[in-house]
Amino acid sequence: MAFEPQTRFLLRGSALVICLLSLWWFVLLSPMLYLLKGAAGIFLSVEENASGGWTLRVPLEKTLPPTTQQPVARQIRSIDFDIPRGDAITFLFSLPVYWAIILAAPGLRRNIRPLVLGTLVMSAAEIALLLGFAELTALSAASEWTSEGYFSGWIRQVGVYLIVNALPYAAPFMVALSLHRELRSEVFGGG
């Protein structure tokens, strides 16, 4: 029984997602966390804490207004917060999903360029997502000491939601479809 090309792609992709996520979890996760920590460390201070999570120090210049408890305005230069190891992992799993999508596409030779280029793009995206999460979390913490409007707080909450719950899942598909012309034409037709 011969399957249609879309069915073969989905079967290959499903098997590859299972295999590559297993490889990622058991072999590649610790080195990738180390690399992510090092790359993020270029932009902000990242230290591993005793629980295996990270303590992030986000530079943030802000003047806190005087309050009844603190009658003098205060200047803050950074905000520190902890991110559990499991939350840091969220920023890494999209790379093996991207690999599975590209490797499931027919024509292995045609997949090499999108695989390499997409790996670089996905790695940069994962770093950017972590940095965006850190910045928005620091801004949210700083806004608790100031009287900012409801709308700016809501925008930050939407941003954190997108960074943590939407973009890591959508990014592999968006990058794969934008870099792999044959895959794009098979998915959307016209090709």
Side-chain angles (χ1 to χ4, degrees):
M1 164 161 63
F3 293 111
E4 292 188 26
Q6 294 86 355
T7 306
R8 287 195 302 271
F9 171 75
L10 289 174
L11 290 173
R12 271 193 316 270
S14 298
L16 283 165
V17 163
I18 292 168
C19 292
L20 289 172
L21 283 176
S22 297
L23 174 70
W24 169 74
W25 185 259
F26 293 112
V27 178
L28 299 175
L29 183 59
S30 291
M32 288 175 74
L33 277 170
Y34 177 78
L35 291 172
L36 180 64
K37 182 178 140 195
I42 295 169
F43 303 98
L44 50 96
S45 172
V46 182
E47 296 177 15
E48 192 163 339
N49 54 36
S51 65
W54 297 345
T55 300
L56 304 177
R57 173 170 284 159
V58 180
L60 182 70
E61 294 289 330
K62 198 151 186 88
T63 302
L64 301 179
T67 63
T68 55
Q69 295 84 12
Q70 188 78 19
V72 177
R74 293 175 290 163
Q75 179 73 26
I76 58 170
R77 301 205 184 326
S78 67
I79 292 186
D80 296 2
F81 64 94
D82 291 339
I83 177 173
R85 187 175 194 269
D87 289 351
I89 290 172
T90 301
F91 298 105
L92 293 174
F93 85 95
S94 57
L95 191 56
V97 172
Y98 174 78
W99 292 336
I101 294 167
I102 293 298
L103 293 174
L108 185 59
R109 285 182 168 249
R110 291 185 307 235
N111 296 345
I112 292 174
R113 183 173 181 271
L115 182 68
V116 172
L117 185 59
T119 298
L120 295 173
V121 170
M122 288 302 302
S123 298
E126 289 174 343
I127 295 165
L129 289 173
L130 175 63
L131 294 174
F133 170 77
E135 186 71 24
L136 288 175
T137 302
L139 287 172
S140 292
S143 72
E144 292 180 14
W145 298 313
T146 61
S147 57
E148 289 188 2
Y150 173 78
F151 185 70
S152 60
W154 180 81
I155 290 293
R156 276 193 302 278
Q157 286 180 338
V158 168
V160 168
Y161 175 81
L162 289 173
I163 287 172
V164 174
N165 297 318
L167 292 176
Y169 298 96
F173 297 96
M174 293 185 304
V175 172
L177 291 173
S178 65
L179 293 178
H180 199 294
R181 185 179 310 135
E182 291 84 10
L183 179 61
R184 185 174 53 244
S185 66
E186 281 193 30
V187 169
F188 295 116

Coordinates of all heavy atoms in Angstrom, one line a residue, residues 85-138:
R85 N 15.4 25.3 36.2 CA 16.0 24.6 35.1 C 14.9 24.2 34.1 O 15.1 24.3 32.9 CB 16.7 23.4 35.6 CG 17.5 22.7 34.5 CD 18.3 21.5 35.1 NE 19.3 21.0 34.2 CZ 19.1 20.0 33.4 NH1 18.0 19.4 33.4 NH2 20.1 19.6 32.6
G86 N 13.8 23.8 34.5 CA 12.7 23.4 33.6 C 12.2 24.5 32.8 O 11.8 24.3 31.6
D87 N 12.2 25.7 33.3 CA 11.8 26.9 32.5 C 12.9 27.2 31.5 O 12.5 27.7 30.4 CB 11.5 28.1 33.4 CG 10.2 27.9 34.2 OD1 9.5 26.9 33.9 OD2 10.0 28.7 35.1
A88 N 14.1 27.0 31.8 CA 15.2 27.3 30.8 C 15.2 26.3 29.7 O 15.4 26.6 28.5 CB 16.6 27.2 31.5
I89 N 14.7 25.1 30.0 CA 14.6 24.0 29.0 C 13.6 24.4 27.9 O 13.7 24.1 26.7 CB 14.3 22.7 29.6 CG1 15.5 22.2 30.4 CG2 13.8 21.7 28.6 CD1 15.2 21.0 31.3
T90 N 12.6 25.2 28.3 CA 11.5 25.6 27.4 C 12.1 26.3 26.2 O 11.6 26.2 25.1 CB 10.6 26.6 28.1 OG1 10.0 25.9 29.2 CG2 9.5 27.1 27.2
F91 N 13.2 27.0 26.4 CA 13.8 27.8 25.3 C 14.7 26.9 24.3 O 15.2 27.5 23.4 CB 14.7 28.9 25.8 CG 13.8 29.9 26.6 CD1 13.9 29.9 28.0 CD2 13.0 30.8 26.0 CE1 13.2 30.8 28.8 CE2 12.2 31.7 26.8 CZ 12.3 31.7 28.1
L92 N 14.8 25.6 24.6 CA 15.7 24.8 23.8 C 15.0 23.7 23.0 O 15.7 23.2 22.0 CB 16.7 24.1 24.7 CG 17.7 25.0 25.4 CD1 18.6 24.3 26.4 CD2 18.6 25.7 24.4
F93 N 13.8 23.3 23.3 CA 13.3 22.2 22.6 C 12.9 22.4 21.2 O 12.7 21.5 20.4 CB 12.1 21.6 23.4 CG 10.8 22.2 23.1 CD1 10.0 21.7 22.1 CD2 10.5 23.4 23.7 CE1 8.8 22.3 21.8 CE2 9.3 24.0 23.4 CZ 8.4 23.5 22.5
S94 N 12.8 23.7 20.8 CA 12.3 23.9 19.4 C 13.4 23.6 18.4 O 13.1 23.3 17.2 CB 11.9 25.4 19.2 OG 13.0 26.2 19.6
L95 N 14.7 23.5 18.7 CA 15.7 23.1 17.8 C 15.6 21.7 17.3 O 15.6 21.4 16.1 CB 17.1 23.4 18.4 CG 18.2 23.3 17.4 CD1 18.1 24.2 16.2 CD2 19.5 23.7 18.1
P96 N 15.4 20.7 18.2 CA 15.2 19.3 17.6 C 13.9 19.2 16.9 O 13.8 18.4 15.9 CB 15.2 18.4 18.9 CG 15.3 19.3 20.1 CD 15.6 20.7 19.6
V97 N 12.9 19.9 17.2 CA 11.7 19.9 16.4 C 11.9 20.4 15.0 O 11.5 19.9 14.0 CB 10.5 20.7 17.1 CG1 9.3 20.8 16.2 CG2 10.2 20.0 18.4
Y98 N 12.7 21.5 14.9 CA 13.1 22.0 13.6 C 13.9 21.0 12.8 O 13.6 20.8 11.6 CB 13.9 23.3 13.8 CG 14.5 23.8 12.5 CD1 13.6 24.5 11.6 CD2 15.8 23.5 12.1 CE1 14.1 24.9 10.4 CE2 16.2 24.0 10.9 CZ 15.4 24.7 10.0 OH 15.9 25.0 8.8
W99 N 14.8 20.3 13.4 CA 15.6 19.3 12.8 C 14.7 18.2 12.2 O 14.9 17.7 11.1 CB 16.6 18.7 13.7 CG 17.7 19.6 14.1 CD1 18.2 20.7 13.5 CD2 18.5 19.5 15.3 NE1 19.2 21.3 14.2 CE2 19.4 20.5 15.3 CE3 18.5 18.6 16.4 CZ2 20.4 20.7 16.3 CZ3 19.5 18.8 17.4 CH2 20.4 19.8 17.3
A100 N 13.7 17.8 13.0 CA 12.8 16.8 12.6 C 12.0 17.2 11.3 O 11.8 16.4 10.4 CB 11.8 16.4 13.7
I101 N 11.5 18.4 11.3 CA 10.7 19.0 10.2 C 11.6 18.9 8.9 O 11.1 18.5 7.9 CB 10.2 20.4 10.5 CG1 9.2 20.4 11.7 CG2 9.6 21.0 9.3 CD1 8.9 21.7 12.2
I102 N 12.8 19.5 9.0 CA 13.6 19.5 7.8 C 14.1 18.2 7.4 O 14.0 17.9 6.2 CB 14.9 20.4 8.1 CG1 14.5 21.9 8.4 CG2 15.9 20.3 7.0 CD1 13.8 22.5 7.2
L103 N 14.4 17.3 8.3 CA 14.9 15.9 7.9 C 13.7 15.1 7.4 O 13.9 14.1 6.6 CB 15.6 15.2 9.0 CG 16.9 15.9 9.4 CD1 17.4 15.2 10.7 CD2 17.9 15.8 8.3
A104 N 12.5 15.4 7.7 CA 11.3 14.7 7.2 C 11.0 15.1 5.8 O 10.3 14.3 5.1 CB 10.1 14.9 8.1
A105 N 11.4 16.2 5.4 CA 11.1 16.7 4.0 C 11.9 15.8 3.0 O 13.0 15.4 3.3 CB 11.5 18.1 3.8
P106 N 11.3 15.5 1.9 CA 12.0 14.6 0.9 C 13.2 15.3 0.3 O 13.3 16.5 0.2 CB 10.9 14.4 -0.2 CG 9.9 15.4 0.0 CD 10.0 15.9 1.4
G107 N 14.2 14.5 -0.1 CA 15.4 15.0 -0.7 C 16.4 15.4 0.3 O 16.6 16.6 0.6
L108 N 17.2 14.5 0.8 CA 18.2 14.8 1.9 C 19.2 15.8 1.4 O 19.6 16.7 2.2 CB 18.9 13.5 2.3 CG 19.8 13.6 3.5 CD1 19.1 14.2 4.7 CD2 20.4 12.3 3.8
R109 N 19.7 15.7 0.2 CA 20.7 16.7 -0.3 C 20.1 18.1 -0.3 O 20.9 19.0 0.0 CB 21.2 16.3 -1.7 CG 22.1 15.1 -1.7 CD 22.6 14.9 -3.1 NE 23.6 13.9 -3.0 CZ 24.9 14.2 -3.3 NH1 25.2 15.4 -3.7 NH2 25.8 13.3 -3.2
R110 N 18.9 18.3 -0.7 CA 18.3 19.6 -0.7 C 18.0 20.1 0.7 O 17.8 21.3 0.9 CB 17.0 19.6 -1.5 CG 17.1 19.4 -2.9 CD 15.8 19.5 -3.6 NE 14.8 18.6 -3.0 CZ 14.1 17.7 -3.6 NH1 14.2 17.6 -4.9 NH2 13.2 17.0 -3.0
N111 N 18.1 19.3 1.7 CA 17.8 19.7 3.1 C 19.0 20.2 3.9 O 18.8 20.7 4.9 CB 17.2 18.5 3.9 CG 15.8 18.1 3.3 OD1 15.2 18.8 2.5 ND2 15.4 16.9 3.6
I112 N 20.2 20.0 3.3 CA 21.4 20.3 4.1 C 21.5 21.8 4.3 O 21.7 22.2 5.5 CB 22.6 19.7 3.4 CG1 22.6 18.2 3.5 CG2 23.9 20.3 4.1 CD1 23.7 17.5 2.7
R113 N 21.3 22.6 3.3 CA 21.4 24.0 3.5 C 20.4 24.6 4.4 O 20.7 25.3 5.4 CB 21.3 24.7 2.1 CG 21.5 26.2 2.2 CD 21.6 26.9 0.8 NE 21.8 28.3 0.9 CZ 20.8 29.2 1.0 NH1 19.5 28.8 1.0 NH2 21.0 30.5 1.1
P114 N 19.1 24.2 4.3 CA 18.1 24.7 5.3 C 18.4 24.2 6.7 O 18.1 24.9 7.6 CB 16.8 24.2 4.7 CG 17.0 23.9 3.3 CD 18.4 23.6 3.2
L115 N 18.9 23.0 6.8 CA 19.2 22.4 8.1 C 20.3 23.2 8.8 O 20.1 23.6 10.0 CB 19.7 20.9 7.9 CG 20.0 20.2 9.2 CD1 18.7 20.0 10.0 CD2 20.7 18.9 9.0
V116 N 21.4 23.6 8.1 CA 22.5 24.3 8.7 C 22.0 25.8 9.0 O 22.2 26.3 10.1 CB 23.7 24.3 7.8 CG1 24.8 25.2 8.3 CG2 24.3 22.9 7.7
L117 N 21.5 26.4 8.0 CA 21.0 27.8 8.1 C 19.9 27.9 9.2 O 20.0 28.8 10.0 CB 20.6 28.4 6.8 CG 20.2 29.8 6.8 CD1 21.4 30.7 7.2 CD2 19.7 30.2 5.4
G118 N 19.0 27.0 9.2 CA 17.9 27.0 10.1 C 18.4 26.7 11.5 O 17.8 27.3 12.5
T119 N 19.4 25.9 11.7 CA 20.0 25.6 13.0 C 20.5 26.9 13.6 O 20.3 27.2 14.8 CB 21.0 24.5 13.0 OG1 20.4 23.3 12.5 CG2 21.7 24.3 14.3
L120 N 21.2 27.7 12.8 CA 21.7 29.0 13.2 C 20.6 30.0 13.6 O 20.7 30.7 14.6 CB 22.7 29.6 12.2 CG 23.9 28.8 11.9 CD1 24.7 29.4 10.7 CD2 24.8 28.7 13.1
V121 N 19.6 30.0 12.7 CA 18.5 30.9 13.0 C 17.7 30.5 14.2 O 17.4 31.4 15.1 CB 17.5 31.0 11.7 CG1 16.2 31.7 12.1 CG2 18.2 31.6 10.6
M122 N 17.5 29.2 14.4 CA 16.7 28.7 15.6 C 17.6 29.0 16.9 O 17.0 29.3 17.9 CB 16.4 27.3 15.5 CG 15.3 27.0 14.4 SD 13.8 27.8 14.8 CE 13.4 27.2 16.4
S123 N 18.9 28.8 16.8 CA 19.7 29.1 18.0 C 19.7 30.5 18.3 O 19.5 30.9 19.5 CB 21.2 28.6 17.7 OG 21.2 27.3 17.4
A124 N 19.7 31.4 17.4 CA 19.6 32.8 17.6 C 18.2 33.2 18.2 O 18.1 34.0 19.1 CB 19.9 33.6 16.4
A125 N 17.2 32.5 17.7 CA 15.8 32.8 18.2 C 15.7 32.3 19.6 O 15.0 33.0 20.4 CB 14.8 32.1 17.3
E126 N 16.3 31.2 20.0 CA 16.2 30.7 21.3 C 16.9 31.6 22.3 O 16.4 31.9 23.4 CB 16.8 29.3 21.4 CG 15.9 28.3 20.7 CD 16.5 26.9 20.7 OE1 17.7 26.7 20.9 OE2 15.7 25.9 20.4
I127 N 18.0 32.2 21.9 CA 18.7 33.1 22.7 C 17.9 34.4 22.9 O 17.7 35.0 24.0 CB 20.1 33.5 22.2 CG1 21.0 32.2 22.2 CG2 20.8 34.6 22.9 CD1 22.2 32.3 21.3
A128 N 17.3 34.9 21.8 CA 16.5 36.1 21.8 C 15.3 35.9 22.7 O 14.9 36.8 23.4 CB 16.1 36.5 20.4
L129 N 14.7 34.7 22.6 CA 13.5 34.5 23.4 C 13.9 34.5 24.9 O 13.1 35.1 25.7 CB 12.9 33.1 23.1 CG 12.1 33.1 21.7 CD1 11.7 31.6 21.4 CD2 10.9 34.0 21.7
L130 N 15.0 33.9 25.3 CA 15.4 33.9 26.7 C 15.7 35.4 27.1 O 15.3 35.8 28.2 CB 16.7 33.1 26.9 CG 17.3 33.1 28.3 CD1 16.3 32.6 29.3 CD2 18.6 32.4 28.4
L131 N 16.4 36.1 26.3 CA 16.7 37.5 26.6 C 15.4 38.4 26.7 O 15.3 39.2 27.6 CB 17.6 38.1 25.6 CG 19.1 37.5 25.6 CD1 19.9 38.1 24.5 CD2 19.7 37.7 27.0
G132 N 14.5 38.1 25.8 CA 13.2 38.8 25.9 C 12.4 38.5 27.1 O 11.8 39.4 27.8
F133 N 12.4 37.2 27.5 CA 11.8 36.8 28.7 C 12.4 37.5 30.0 O 11.7 38.0 30.8 CB 11.9 35.3 28.9 CG 11.4 34.8 30.2 CD1 10.1 34.7 30.5 CD2 12.4 34.4 31.2 CE1 9.7 34.2 31.8 CE2 12.0 33.9 32.4 CZ 10.7 33.8 32.7
A134 N 13.7 37.5 30.0 CA 14.4 38.1 31.1 C 14.1 39.6 31.2 O 13.8 40.1 32.3 CB 15.9 37.9 31.0
E135 N 14.1 40.3 30.1 CA 13.8 41.7 30.1 C 12.4 42.0 30.5 O 12.2 42.9 31.3 CB 14.1 42.3 28.7 CG 13.9 43.8 28.6 CD 15.1 44.5 29.3 OE1 16.2 44.0 29.4 OE2 14.8 45.7 29.6
L136 N 11.4 41.3 30.0 CA 10.0 41.5 30.4 C 9.8 41.2 31.8 O 9.0 41.8 32.5 CB 9.1 40.7 29.5 CG 9.0 41.2 28.0 CD1 8.1 40.3 27.2 CD2 8.4 42.6 28.0
T137 N 10.4 40.1 32.3 CA 10.3 39.7 33.7 C 10.9 40.8 34.6 O 10.3 41.2 35.7 CB 10.9 38.4 34.0 OG1 10.3 37.4 33.1 CG2 10.7 37.9 35.4
A138 N 12.0 41.4 34.3 CA 12.6 42.4 35.1 C 11.8 43.7 35.0 O 11.6 44.4 36.1 CB 14.0 42.7 34.5

